[in-house]
Amino acid sequence: MIASVNGRVAAVSPDGAVVEVGGVGLAVQCTPGTIARLTVGEQARLATSLVVREDSLTLYGFADDDERQLFELLQTANGVGPRLAQAVLAIHPPREVRRAVSMADVKALMQVPGIGKKGAERLILELRDRLGATTTDTQLDGPPLPGGAAPFTPVAPWRDQLTSALVGLGWSSREADTALAALAPVADEQQAATGRVDVAALLRQALQLLGRS
């Protein structure tokens, strides 16, 4: 198992990155939040999980070991494969996933593309005892949320994530700002319709927009 990679970021794409380790470029699939933290030419460490299939070897990368462990734990639930597990972490940071499962927050889990009401209920049923309490996160991030409180905001706002990803892909800050201005109405529509912003979809649209300009 490849537990982590540490090396120079050779390339960044909407779905992942290439990290050079010992002269070998490793393709790593990442969430938009992780991609936003990477910059081409700079050193980076990613916790990783290797998924082996009969016809493929896919390396998934994460911002830290906790995120990787949760990725692997999610796949122990019936019907959850690596792509869906990664989609969960693309929408919610680890603490929010644990909160949603422990508090049976079906609506929060349904924000993930590919998870319906029955799927969310199954995740809660199967993972509640495996995930455990969120005491570690509470100690790190402050006092526990009061009953019924809304989930905290994800790690980075969509604007920051999208700007970092575009700059990491080689676009200038000015070009990134132009794309953000054009896509702001789309983000607002997504927020109003689903309660979340699909950063990965916005990144793809931004690349198409900048590629035409």
Side-chain angles (χ1 to χ4, degrees), residues 10-136:
V12 178
S13 71
D15 299 320
V18 176
V19 180
E20 290 186 345
V21 180
V24 178
L26 298 177
V28 187
Q29 298 290 311
C30 306
T31 65
T34 299
I35 293 170
R37 296 178 173 88
L38 304 177
T39 302
V40 174
E42 294 189 1
Q43 292 288 121
R45 178 194 180 276
L46 294 174
T48 57
S49 180
L50 180 63
V51 176
V52 180
R53 295 286 185 266
E54 290 185 1
D55 57 349
S56 66
L57 295 173
T58 306
L59 194 61
Y60 290 84
F62 309 93
D64 54 42
D65 294 332
D66 181 48
E67 194 171 78
R68 180 197 64 209
Q69 290 168 3
L70 186 53
F71 168 79
E72 295 172 347
L73 187 58
L74 285 168
Q75 293 178 72
T76 64
N78 186 38
V80 178
R83 291 188 179 277
L84 185 55
Q86 188 180 49
V88 171
L89 293 169
I91 301 301
H92 299 302
R95 177 186 171 181
E96 173 60 11
V97 176
R98 292 190 178 92
R99 186 207 65 79
V101 171
S102 65
M103 298 182 68
D105 190 343
V106 172
K107 290 185 178 180
L109 294 173
M110 287 176 62
Q111 291 177 5
V112 179
I115 296 182
K117 184 178 180 181
K118 290 185 178 179
E121 291 172 343
R122 184 171 62 248
L123 271 176
I124 292 168
L125 179 63
E126 294 187 19
L127 295 180
R128 178 177 287 172
D129 293 337
R130 303 179 198 175
L131 288 179
T134 58
T135 53
T136 300

Side-chain angles (χ1 to χ4, degrees), residues 117-194:
K117 184 178 180 181
K118 290 185 178 179
E121 291 172 343
R122 184 171 62 248
L123 271 176
I124 292 168
L125 179 63
E126 294 187 19
L127 295 180
R128 178 177 287 172
D129 293 337
R130 303 179 198 175
L131 288 179
T134 58
T135 53
T136 300
D137 295 317
T138 298
Q139 292 169 357
L140 291 174
D141 298 323
L145 291 172
F152 67 93
T153 303
V155 175
W158 72 268
R159 291 178 179 274
D160 291 342
Q161 288 187 339
L162 192 56
T163 298
S164 298
L166 289 172
V167 172
L169 287 168
W171 301 100
S172 67
S173 296
R174 183 175 181 178
E175 290 169 326
D177 289 341
T178 299
L180 259 66
L183 293 173
V186 178
D188 291 342
E189 290 177 3
Q190 291 179 353
Q191 185 70 45
T194 66

